[in-house]
Amino acid sequence: MKKTRTAILILIPAAFAALIALFASGLGRNPQELPSVTTGKPLPAFDLPALDDSRRYTNADLPQGTPYLINVWGSWCPACHEEHPYLTALAAQIPVIGLNWPADNKNEIADATAMLAKNGNPYRLNLRDPDGSLITDLGVYGAPETYLIGRDGTIRYRHAGALTPQIWQEHFQPRLKNP
C-alpha cells in the first residue's frame, strides 16, 4: 500500500510536468505556419477535371521550367474571397493554378464559376478536386492554402490562410530567388 501511494505521489507531478511541457512547446507557434510533409517533394501526380469543362488535366499541363502557385480555394470560403483581389493582381507576376475544393457544397461548380465571373479569374488553369485526392496528397488543412512550386516541380513553400502582400514579400519572394 505504501509503495503504491509513493508511486502515485511521484507519477502525478511527473505527468503534470510533462503536460505543462507539451503545452509550452506549442506556445509562440504561428498557426499560419502549419508543418507540411510535402515541402521539398515533387508535386503529387494527379488527373483532375477542370472547373469549367469536362477536360481532364495532369501534371504535364502545368507550367514547366518556371515557378508557379497552386491556390486551394472554394466559393464557400470567406478567406478565399478576402485574398481573391490580391491573387488577381499577383497573377500578372506569376502563373496561378486554382485547385477548387468543393467541400460539402453540392453547388460548388456553379457558385465558383459565378464568383470568378463576378470578381475576375486569376487562374491560368482551374482544377476541380471532387473526391479530394490531390487535396489529401498535399496535406491540405483547409482553404485557402497556397503552394509555391519551383522550376523543378517541387513544392518550395506552403502557406495556410489568405495570401496578402506582406506574406508574399516575407515568405514567397525570398524563395523565388532560388526557385
Side-chain angles (χ1 to χ4, degrees), residues 74-92:
S75 67
W76 47 268
C77 162
C80 298
H81 287 266
E82 177 186 321
E83 78 174 357
H84 193 84
Y86 185 64
L87 271 180
T88 301
L90 196 57

mmCIF file of all heavy atoms in Angstrom, residues 74-92:
data_model
loop_
_atom_site.group_PDB
_atom_site.id
_atom_site.type_symbol
_atom_site.label_atom_id
_atom_site.label_comp_id
_atom_site.label_asym_id
_atom_site.label_seq_id
_atom_site.Cartn_x
_atom_site.Cartn_y
_atom_site.Cartn_z
ATOM 1 N N GLY A 74 -12.270 27.752 -52.457
ATOM 2 C CA GLY A 74 -13.663 27.364 -52.636
ATOM 3 C C GLY A 74 -14.541 28.598 -52.531
ATOM 4 O O GLY A 74 -14.215 29.535 -51.790
ATOM 5 N N SER A 75 -15.638 28.614 -53.237
ATOM 6 C CA SER A 75 -16.538 29.772 -53.185
ATOM 7 C C SER A 75 -17.181 29.905 -51.804
ATOM 8 O O SER A 75 -17.618 30.984 -51.418
ATOM 9 C CB SER A 75 -17.618 29.644 -54.254
ATOM 10 O OG SER A 75 -18.471 28.558 -53.949
ATOM 11 N N TRP A 76 -17.223 28.836 -51.052
ATOM 12 C CA TRP A 76 -17.824 28.795 -49.722
ATOM 13 C C TRP A 76 -16.888 29.359 -48.651
ATOM 14 O O TRP A 76 -17.269 29.506 -47.491
ATOM 15 C CB TRP A 76 -18.164 27.348 -49.369
ATOM 16 C CG TRP A 76 -17.026 26.409 -49.661
ATOM 17 C CD1 TRP A 76 -16.829 25.714 -50.821
ATOM 18 C CD2 TRP A 76 -15.905 26.130 -48.838
ATOM 19 N NE1 TRP A 76 -15.644 25.003 -50.761
ATOM 20 C CE2 TRP A 76 -15.052 25.243 -49.543
ATOM 21 C CE3 TRP A 76 -15.517 26.532 -47.568
ATOM 22 C CZ2 TRP A 76 -13.857 24.764 -49.029
ATOM 23 C CZ3 TRP A 76 -14.322 26.047 -47.049
ATOM 24 C CH2 TRP A 76 -13.508 25.172 -47.780
ATOM 25 N N CYS A 77 -15.664 29.687 -49.027
ATOM 26 C CA CYS A 77 -14.598 30.045 -48.084
ATOM 27 C C CYS A 77 -14.457 31.565 -47.972
ATOM 28 O O CYS A 77 -14.034 32.213 -48.930
ATOM 29 C CB CYS A 77 -13.306 29.406 -48.590
ATOM 30 S SG CYS A 77 -11.788 30.080 -47.937
ATOM 31 N N PRO A 78 -14.789 32.170 -46.818
ATOM 32 C CA PRO A 78 -14.672 33.629 -46.663
ATOM 33 C C PRO A 78 -13.252 34.150 -46.889
ATOM 34 O O PRO A 78 -13.061 35.191 -47.516
ATOM 35 C CB PRO A 78 -15.121 33.881 -45.217
ATOM 36 C CG PRO A 78 -15.946 32.694 -44.852
ATOM 37 C CD PRO A 78 -15.376 31.539 -45.629
ATOM 38 N N ALA A 79 -12.246 33.446 -46.395
ATOM 39 C CA ALA A 79 -10.864 33.903 -46.579
ATOM 40 C C ALA A 79 -10.445 33.842 -48.048
ATOM 41 O O ALA A 79 -9.592 34.619 -48.484
ATOM 42 C CB ALA A 79 -9.916 33.074 -45.715
ATOM 43 N N CYS A 80 -11.048 32.945 -48.825
ATOM 44 C CA CYS A 80 -10.763 32.871 -50.264
ATOM 45 C C CYS A 80 -11.275 34.128 -50.959
ATOM 46 O O CYS A 80 -10.618 34.666 -51.854
ATOM 47 C CB CYS A 80 -11.387 31.625 -50.884
ATOM 48 S SG CYS A 80 -10.755 30.079 -50.203
ATOM 49 N N HIS A 81 -12.434 34.616 -50.551
ATOM 50 C CA HIS A 81 -12.969 35.866 -51.093
ATOM 51 C C HIS A 81 -12.055 37.030 -50.694
ATOM 52 O O HIS A 81 -11.815 37.936 -51.499
ATOM 53 C CB HIS A 81 -14.392 36.111 -50.578
ATOM 54 C CG HIS A 81 -15.411 35.206 -51.192
ATOM 55 N ND1 HIS A 81 -16.139 35.562 -52.300
ATOM 56 C CD2 HIS A 81 -15.811 33.955 -50.851
ATOM 57 C CE1 HIS A 81 -16.956 34.567 -52.624
ATOM 58 N NE2 HIS A 81 -16.771 33.581 -51.754
ATOM 59 N N GLU A 82 -11.548 36.976 -49.472
ATOM 60 C CA GLU A 82 -10.666 38.033 -48.964
ATOM 61 C C GLU A 82 -9.372 38.126 -49.782
ATOM 62 O O GLU A 82 -8.914 39.210 -50.111
ATOM 63 C CB GLU A 82 -10.347 37.734 -47.491
ATOM 64 C CG GLU A 82 -9.401 38.687 -46.831
ATOM 65 C CD GLU A 82 -9.033 38.216 -45.430
ATOM 66 O OE1 GLU A 82 -9.907 37.692 -44.712
ATOM 67 O OE2 GLU A 82 -7.853 38.367 -45.066
ATOM 68 N N GLU A 83 -8.774 36.993 -50.127
ATOM 69 C CA GLU A 83 -7.494 37.014 -50.835
ATOM 70 C C GLU A 83 -7.648 37.165 -52.350
ATOM 71 O O GLU A 83 -6.679 37.420 -53.045
ATOM 72 C CB GLU A 83 -6.691 35.752 -50.532
ATOM 73 C CG GLU A 83 -7.143 34.519 -51.275
ATOM 74 C CD GLU A 83 -6.264 33.307 -51.095
ATOM 75 O OE1 GLU A 83 -5.220 33.357 -50.419
ATOM 76 O OE2 GLU A 83 -6.633 32.263 -51.655
ATOM 77 N N HIS A 84 -8.856 37.005 -52.861
ATOM 78 C CA HIS A 84 -9.082 36.973 -54.301
ATOM 79 C C HIS A 84 -8.552 38.202 -55.051
ATOM 80 O O HIS A 84 -7.886 38.045 -56.078
ATOM 81 C CB HIS A 84 -10.564 36.742 -54.603
ATOM 82 C CG HIS A 84 -10.830 36.388 -56.017
ATOM 83 N ND1 HIS A 84 -10.713 35.101 -56.499
ATOM 84 C CD2 HIS A 84 -11.170 37.157 -57.078
ATOM 85 C CE1 HIS A 84 -10.978 35.094 -57.783
ATOM 86 N NE2 HIS A 84 -11.263 36.328 -58.167
ATOM 87 N N PRO A 85 -8.788 39.429 -54.578
ATOM 88 C CA PRO A 85 -8.245 40.585 -55.303
ATOM 89 C C PRO A 85 -6.716 40.567 -55.380
ATOM 90 O O PRO A 85 -6.141 40.916 -56.413
ATOM 91 C CB PRO A 85 -8.741 41.795 -54.504
ATOM 92 C CG PRO A 85 -9.943 41.304 -53.772
ATOM 93 C CD PRO A 85 -9.666 39.847 -53.481
ATOM 94 N N TYR A 86 -6.075 40.145 -54.301
ATOM 95 C CA TYR A 86 -4.607 40.098 -54.334
ATOM 96 C C TYR A 86 -4.119 39.000 -55.285
ATOM 97 O O TYR A 86 -3.165 39.206 -56.040
ATOM 98 C CB TYR A 86 -4.019 39.907 -52.934
ATOM 99 C CG TYR A 86 -2.512 39.990 -52.977
ATOM 100 C CD1 TYR A 86 -1.879 41.175 -53.342
ATOM 101 C CD2 TYR A 86 -1.721 38.880 -52.708
ATOM 102 C CE1 TYR A 86 -0.502 41.258 -53.428
ATOM 103 C CE2 TYR A 86 -0.348 38.955 -52.790
ATOM 104 C CZ TYR A 86 0.260 40.141 -53.151
ATOM 105 O OH TYR A 86 1.627 40.223 -53.242
ATOM 106 N N LEU A 87 -4.762 37.856 -55.276
ATOM 107 C CA LEU A 87 -4.391 36.788 -56.220
ATOM 108 C C LEU A 87 -4.545 37.260 -57.667
ATOM 109 O O LEU A 87 -3.712 36.938 -58.517
ATOM 110 C CB LEU A 87 -5.275 35.551 -56.014
ATOM 111 C CG LEU A 87 -4.830 34.507 -55.030
ATOM 112 C CD1 LEU A 87 -5.840 33.377 -54.985
ATOM 113 C CD2 LEU A 87 -3.459 33.979 -55.329
ATOM 114 N N THR A 88 -5.605 38.009 -57.920
ATOM 115 C CA THR A 88 -5.844 38.517 -59.273
ATOM 116 C C THR A 88 -4.702 39.441 -59.698
ATOM 117 O O THR A 88 -4.199 39.340 -60.823
ATOM 118 C CB THR A 88 -7.201 39.237 -59.340
ATOM 119 O OG1 THR A 88 -8.216 38.296 -58.958
ATOM 120 C CG2 THR A 88 -7.497 39.752 -60.731
ATOM 121 N N ALA A 89 -4.257 40.313 -58.809
ATOM 122 C CA ALA A 89 -3.130 41.199 -59.119
ATOM 123 C C ALA A 89 -1.829 40.404 -59.254
ATOM 124 O O ALA A 89 -1.014 40.663 -60.144
ATOM 125 C CB ALA A 89 -2.988 42.262 -58.033
ATOM 126 N N LEU A 90 -1.644 39.429 -58.403
ATOM 127 C CA LEU A 90 -0.420 38.619 -58.404
ATOM 128 C C LEU A 90 -0.289 37.773 -59.669
ATOM 129 O O LEU A 90 0.815 37.478 -60.122
ATOM 130 C CB LEU A 90 -0.435 37.717 -57.168
ATOM 131 C CG LEU A 90 0.851 37.057 -56.741
ATOM 132 C CD1 LEU A 90 1.933 38.096 -56.486
ATOM 133 C CD2 LEU A 90 0.618 36.226 -55.499
ATOM 134 N N ALA A 91 -1.409 37.424 -60.270
ATOM 135 C CA ALA A 91 -1.397 36.577 -61.472
ATOM 136 C C ALA A 91 -0.671 37.241 -62.645
ATOM 137 O O ALA A 91 -0.263 36.553 -63.582
ATOM 138 C CB ALA A 91 -2.820 36.204 -61.866
ATOM 139 N N ALA A 92 -0.477 38.547 -62.587
ATOM 140 C CA ALA A 92 0.297 39.234 -63.628
ATOM 141 C C ALA A 92 1.793 38.973 -63.463
ATOM 142 O O ALA A 92 2.561 39.142 -64.407
ATOM 143 C CB ALA A 92 0.014 40.735 -63.588
#
